Amino acid sequence: MAGNKEVREIRELIESTEYDTAFRKCKEISEKKGKLPPQIFYYGALSLFGLGHIRQAETWVENFERYSSDSVHALYLKAYQSLHRGKTDEALLCYTRILERDPSDTFADSLIERLRRGEKSIQRELEIPENFRNYFPGFNEEISDPPMSGLPRSRDGFRPAVIFFIFLGVLLIGIAAYTVPKLFEKKHFSQFHDKLPEMPSSGSVIPADEYVDERPRFIYESSKDALKDYAAARNLILDGRVNSALRTIGKIELSNAGFEIKERATLLREFIPFINPDQFQDHVTIEEILSEPFILRGAQVIWSGKAVSVQKLDERRQRIIFSEKEMNQPPFVVFDVIMENGELIQKGEKITVFGMYDKILTGEMVQIKTLKILKRDP
């Protein structure tokens, strides 16, 4: 296993902009057998960023996430990758999550402000690999081992804000574990009213004329308008119209609303419950998912189609690709299913599935997480 001395040497090489040497050392250590410190993958990714090899760094970021998937360091890595892909919405979400973990992280806050004011200057800056240093706070600080929990520490231990968020997280998980199962029992969710995050007591919007380059997709004239949408999203959840709520929350996330409102909207998204298929009425199409993948992330769907491809993964698990079109035309839906009882799905079989949108695989293919097979028609 690599020692602290080797890790410090690599960090010092990166500080000295000797990215090629730093990466070679990371690669040598990563190829050794035995337990590896997660810092190696982190510094390996940074070295590649410094060399301008963004795509090559993907594997190193993924390996680092296996050790510290929820750490602020992993979120900064993911945000930087998203910026290079032109996906500023995803980067903004990463920075927002960082601030959820540590509200005192002024570096993430400053990057959020830069993104709000316009992304063109950032894209120009990213053309120079050396500028990656502008997107990683405490760049020269040592990363602790064992793997990071994602909760920043001061020299004296956990910050009070972090302790508060730990307590809040445990409390919210307990509330969700108790209340979410009950949502399947009733069509109206009035009993969930007191469990959803309340509207922020205050908030702000950034005036449209303060954006130097591109303006946000949605512009609110006042904080009152943004808070009105937050209240609307909350009421949509209580009415069981979860996908409509996602659209309204997404509007807030892609708007000029201030951090206070966006933070609460992101928290509200996490509290959206699953709706019993028998009570589900808020349908969304495959085409709508393809056109708004960020806004509709986590959307619940009931789709019907014919299986055009069936892959057997093991004795009970299958990977299905189906199409809603009669001639097996795109768009296509991909999902994995475990057949607890009954025969495996056959190619050409018509099925209706209840699931949750997971990700876009191509411009014509959506992957969902299967919750239930509702109907089969061989």
Side-chain angles (χ1 to χ4, degrees), residues 62-202:
E62 291 173 359
N63 286 332
F64 179 68
E65 286 182 310
R66 292 175 186 172
Y67 292 93
S68 293
S69 61
D70 213 28
S71 75
V72 294
H73 298 279
L75 286 169
Y76 273 114
L77 288 173
K78 291 175 66 176
Y80 188 72
Q81 287 181 309
S82 296
L83 289 174
H84 265 279
R85 297 185 186 116
K87 297 181 178 181
T88 54
D89 295 339
E90 293 182 4
L92 183 61
L93 184 62
C94 288
Y95 294 136
T96 301
R97 287 175 175 169
I98 291 170
L99 285 174
E100 289 173 0
R101 288 160 172 72
D102 181 14
S104 67
D105 192 325
T106 57
F107 192 84
D109 198 29
S110 67
L111 288 173
I112 288 174
E113 289 303 316
R114 287 191 62 188
L115 286 171
R116 286 173 177 167
R117 295 178 184 278
E119 60 182 271
K120 287 185 177 179
S121 61
I122 289 179
Q123 293 303 322
R124 287 193 294 269
E125 186 175 64
L126 293 176
E127 293 176 0
I128 303 175
E130 174 69 17
N131 289 336
F132 85 95
R133 305 168 77 93
N134 298 335
Y135 297 87
F136 292 90
F139 182 78
N140 298 330
E141 295 177 1
E142 182 174 358
I143 303 177
S144 61
D145 186 19
M148 297 155 291
S149 64
L151 302 175
R153 293 175 179 264
S154 67
R155 291 182 180 179
D156 297 323
F158 281 110
R159 297 172 180 167
V162 173
I163 296 175
F164 168 76
F165 275 98
I166 293 174
F167 171 78
L168 179 61
V170 172
L171 177 62
L172 294 180
I173 290 172
I175 291 173
Y178 174 77
T179 57
V180 171
K182 294 183 177 295
L183 299 182
F184 289 90
E185 301 173 4
K186 298 183 180 181
K187 185 173 181 178
H188 300 291
F189 306 133
S190 58
Q191 81 279 12
F192 201 55
H193 182 278
D194 295 333
K195 310 304 179 183
L196 294 176
E198 293 288 349
M199 183 187 302
S201 58
S202 63

Side-chain angles (χ1 to χ4, degrees), residues 304 345 349-353 372-377:
S304 298
I345 293 172
E349 186 174 340
K350 294 181 180 179
I351 53 178
T352 299
V353 61
K372 189 177 183 181
I373 300 294
L374 302 180
K375 185 179 179 180
R376 298 178 59 180
D377 185 13

Side-chain angles (χ1 to χ4, degrees), residues 103-362:
S104 67
D105 192 325
T106 57
F107 192 84
D109 198 29
S110 67
L111 288 173
I112 288 174
E113 289 303 316
R114 287 191 62 188
L115 286 171
R116 286 173 177 167
R117 295 178 184 278
E119 60 182 271
K120 287 185 177 179
S121 61
I122 289 179
Q123 293 303 322
R124 287 193 294 269
E125 186 175 64
L126 293 176
E127 293 176 0
I128 303 175
E130 174 69 17
N131 289 336
F132 85 95
R133 305 168 77 93
N134 298 335
Y135 297 87
F136 292 90
F139 182 78
N140 298 330
E141 295 177 1
E142 182 174 358
I143 303 177
S144 61
D145 186 19
M148 297 155 291
S149 64
L151 302 175
R153 293 175 179 264
S154 67
R155 291 182 180 179
D156 297 323
F158 281 110
R159 297 172 180 167
V162 173
I163 296 175
F164 168 76
F165 275 98
I166 293 174
F167 171 78
L168 179 61
V170 172
L171 177 62
L172 294 180
I173 290 172
I175 291 173
Y178 174 77
T179 57
V180 171
K182 294 183 177 295
L183 299 182
F184 289 90
E185 301 173 4
K186 298 183 180 181
K187 185 173 181 178
H188 300 291
F189 306 133
S190 58
Q191 81 279 12
F192 201 55
H193 182 278
D194 295 333
K195 310 304 179 183
L196 294 176
E198 293 288 349
M199 183 187 302
S201 58
S202 63
S204 61
V205 297
I206 301 173
D209 56 10
E210 289 190 16
Y211 290 91
V212 177
D213 295 319
E214 296 182 12
R215 294 176 16 147
R217 180 173 169 182
F218 303 101
I219 295 292
Y220 290 112
E221 295 299 325
S222 67
S223 59
K224 182 178 179 181
D225 294 333
L227 292 172
K228 183 178 179 180
D229 267 356
Y230 180 91
R234 196 173 185 276
N235 288 331
L236 286 168
I237 296 173
L238 295 173
D239 289 339
R241 299 169 61 191
V242 291
N243 291 332
S244 297
L246 286 175
R247 288 189 177 94
T248 306
I249 292 172
K251 177 183 176 182
I252 296 173
E253 291 173 326
L254 300 180
S255 74
N256 63 326
F259 169 71
E260 307 94 331
I261 301 175
K262 286 188 175 181
E263 179 186 35
R264 192 64 60 87
T266 300
L267 181 61
L268 183 63
R269 178 185 284 272
E270 299 298 322
F271 267 75
I272 292 179
F274 291 113
I275 306 300
N276 190 304
D278 295 335
Q279 302 170 348
F280 186 77
Q281 299 179 5
D282 196 19
H283 294 282
V284 62
T285 67
I286 302 173
E287 288 79 7
E288 287 175 313
I289 294 287
L290 288 169
S291 65
E292 294 286 5
F294 178 78
I295 287 179
L296 289 172
R297 63 191 189 276
Q300 297 167 43
V301 301
I302 295 180
W303 289 333
S304 298
K306 181 184 294 185
V308 299
S309 174
V310 176
Q311 178 185 357
K312 187 176 180 181
L313 302 177
D314 56 37
E315 292 303 315
R316 294 188 304 151
R317 293 190 309 127
Q318 292 179 284
R319 178 159 298 156
I320 311 296
I321 299 178
F322 80 82
S323 169
E324 292 182 319
K325 309 295 184 182
E326 286 296 327
M327 302 301 292
N328 297 337
Q329 297 295 314
F332 298 102
V333 178
V334 181
F335 64 89
D336 292 349
V337 62
I338 299 176
M339 303 302 293
E340 296 290 352
N341 299 301
E343 298 180 356
L344 297 178
I345 293 172
Q346 303 298 314
K347 183 176 180 180
E349 186 174 340
K350 294 181 180 179
I351 53 178
T352 299
V353 61
F354 172 55
M356 172 182 286
Y357 156 56
D358 184 20
K359 58 186 174 183
I360 303 295
L361 297 180
T362 70

